[in-house]
Amino acid sequence: MPISNETLKAMIRDFHGFDMTDAELDLIRPEMDNYMAAVESLRDLDLSNVMSSRLLMVDEGNASDAQR
């Protein structure tokens, strides 16, 4: 999904970036479109069998605790 120049300018302004002209935005447009295509392709990934790396790990103690 293409992002309009107005939306890009608003995003840049919100993140306190440099003001860019439409001509400058046209220069970065191909890279922006590639990035958005990569993000969209992630939506198609089936991650139902992948365990989350954000799960908490159980503290099972260390080796010195086992020797007591």
Side-chain angles (χ1 to χ4, degrees):
M1 175 171 69
I3 299 176
S4 70
N5 283 357
E6 291 77 26
T7 300
L8 281 175
K9 287 179 180 181
M11 291 168 59
I12 292 168
R13 185 177 52 254
D14 289 347
F15 286 100
H16 308 288
F18 297 106
D19 288 331
M20 298 180 78
T21 65
D22 287 344
E24 290 171 326
L25 289 174
D26 289 341
L27 292 173
I28 66 164
R29 171 79 47 207
E31 190 59 34
M32 194 70 188
D33 291 342
N34 288 339
Y35 177 80
M36 292 305 295
V39 169
E40 287 297 321
S41 71
L42 294 176
R43 294 183 194 275
D44 298 332
L45 291 178
D46 178 15
L47 301 176
S48 60
N49 291 323
V50 177
M51 183 173 291
S52 173
S53 63
R54 297 178 359 168
L55 293 176
L56 297 175
M57 299 191 65
V58 177
D59 182 10
E60 296 178 2
N62 57 30
S64 63
D65 289 340
Q67 295 174 353
R68 289 183 190 174

